[in-house]
Amino acid sequence: MALLPARCLRRVPVLPPASRALSGPRGGLPPPALPLSRRVAVVAVVGGFAGGTWLYFRSRKERELRERRQRELRALALGQGDFQLVDHLGLPRSKADFRGQWVLLYFGFTHCPDVCPEELEKLSRAVELLDGDSALPKVQPLFITVDPERDDVEAVARYVRDFHPRLLGLTGNAEKVREVSRAYRVYASAGPKDEDGDYIVDHTVIIYLLGPDGLFLDYYNRSKTAAKIAESVRRHIETYRPLLD
Amino acid sequence: MSAPTMEERKACWAARDEFWRCLDRHTEDAQRCEKLRRSFESLCPQQWVKHFDKRRDFLKYKEKLETEGFHPPETAGKH
């Protein structure tokens, strides 16, 4: 047995039973109580438990962050108060008409070079995605003009035709339209007119989500894709709890 | 003057994109892209042409920042 290390060949003194373990091949450790497969199983269970706990706390934290954000958005009380506008069919519409519905709202204008059509395409696509799930209530897409001087009922009707079939356009008296923009803190500023009297209205580009109680719940900027918006709206619908008494 | 329809918008965007592709090919040398420039100007409202020109300048500036980094102008910042 020339392959054995030298120390194994040395004569080991006979030790009292208590210290016999110290000179064993495992160098002092007690003999294994469980076979390897059992030890793996124990580690897996403990690991699983630790992982599960971590996931639970993380999802709880995410939920708390979401709820806090919702409380802050409600405290902001964006879009409070009524509005008196006219839809693209010429019918009067007030905020109350939309209670009970989930609304995705976009402010824009029909002479918009690119941003508004892109955002309305995206909004339409998000609504389409949500329409595909029959378990969810139908979301109402809404367009409100920031250019009431040019965007009369006819102009808005021509415009909304190109997007989702349920897209409703709202316009009205210039002062009333401006009130709604202010209520939603939408910045809108008409640029200089050229010889044709044409001008561009610089404005906030945001899609707002309103809950069935008429309150502002969330918002989506240019960078949010239709899929992300649909996912967020779905989550809001599924976790909705009316806050107003 | 009523707003462009969806078809008119798409025609304008297509002309703009063709013009911009030409500029990309000739590194912003507008002389080489005269024809496409005229087509772009005829298919888009004047306000949109100005808007897209500004957009182009901004995109080029952004690209420059991303590739070359920011060099503050020499005369900036009088203390």
Side-chain angles (χ1 to χ4, degrees), chain A residues 151-195:
Chain A
D151 292 346
D152 58 9
V153 169
E154 222 184 286
V156 173
R158 268 197 307 267
Y159 196 64
V160 298
R161 236 184 3 217
D162 289 323
F163 304 102
H164 193 281
R166 281 206 308 281
L167 177 64
L168 195 67
L170 298 182
T171 179
N173 161 281
E175 191 41 53
K176 296 225 176 341
V177 167
R178 259 187 280 282
E179 261 169 41
V180 187
S181 308
R182 272 200 300 268
Y184 283 94
R185 317 250 182 117
V186 169
Y187 160 78
S189 168
K193 292 192 178 151
D194 63 15
E195 309 86 65

Side-chain angles (χ1 to χ4, degrees), chain A residues 13-243:
Chain A
V14 176
L15 295 164
S19 39
R20 189 172 297 150
L22 290 172
S23 55
R26 290 178 78 254
L29 293 168
L34 298 170
L36 181 66
S37 59
R38 280 289 190 84
R39 279 183 281 152
V40 167
V42 167
V43 169
V45 167
V46 170
F49 180 71
T53 309
W54 178 77
L55 279 172
Y56 166 74
F57 279 111
R58 193 178 77 157
S59 93
R60 207 175 83 162
K61 180 162 182 221
E62 280 171 1
R63 200 163 27 100
E64 280 167 7
L65 282 174
R66 257 205 309 276
E67 282 169 4
R68 187 174 73 187
R69 183 160 122 114
Q70 295 228 42
R71 279 198 302 276
E72 287 167 355
L73 289 177
R74 283 210 164 84
L76 209 59
L78 216 61
Q80 290 274 47
D82 204 2
F83 56 66
Q84 311 293 341
L85 298 173
V86 179
D87 71 19
H88 66 269
L89 301 165
L91 301 169
R93 292 283 190 157
S94 70
K95 188 109 167 293
D97 295 335
F98 299 99
R99 287 196 83 125
Q101 287 186 289
W102 288 87
V103 173
L104 278 171
L105 166 61
Y106 178 74
F107 287 85
F109 65 112
T110 70
H111 282 77
C112 184
D114 50 356
V115 174
C116 305
E118 279 168 20
E119 291 298 292
L120 284 172
E121 275 290 348
K122 192 173 74 172
L123 198 161
S124 302
R125 180 78 196 118
V127 173
E128 250 172 51
L129 289 170
L130 291 161
D131 283 347
D133 186 347
S134 53
L136 299 173
K138 294 276 176 269
V139 172
Q140 174 63 56
L142 203 57
F143 166 81
I144 299 184
T145 183
V146 294
D147 187 13
E149 279 83 8
R150 282 187 299 185
D151 292 346
D152 58 9
V153 169
E154 222 184 286
V156 173
R158 268 197 307 267
Y159 196 64
V160 298
R161 236 184 3 217
D162 289 323
F163 304 102
H164 193 281
R166 281 206 308 281
L167 177 64
L168 195 67
L170 298 182
T171 179
N173 161 281
E175 191 41 53
K176 296 225 176 341
V177 167
R178 259 187 280 282
E179 261 169 41
V180 187
S181 308
R182 272 200 300 268
Y184 283 94
R185 317 250 182 117
V186 169
Y187 160 78
S189 168
K193 292 192 178 151
D194 63 15
E195 309 86 65
D196 298 325
D198 196 6
Y199 54 89
I200 298 222
V201 181
D202 190 20
H203 64 94
T204 319
V205 178
I206 288 189
I207 293 172
Y208 296 87
L209 175 66
L210 310 183
D213 50 10
L215 287 185
F216 162 66
L217 276 184
D218 210 338
Y219 67 92
Y220 311 104
N221 61 25
R222 282 276 264 168
S223 63
K224 290 283 187 296
T225 61
K228 280 267 176 257
I229 295 175
E231 188 191 304
S232 167
V233 173
R234 177 194 308 267
R235 207 181 40 236
H236 277 285
I237 294 177
E238 287 168 351
T239 60
Y240 177 66
R241 257 183 291 283
L243 255 201

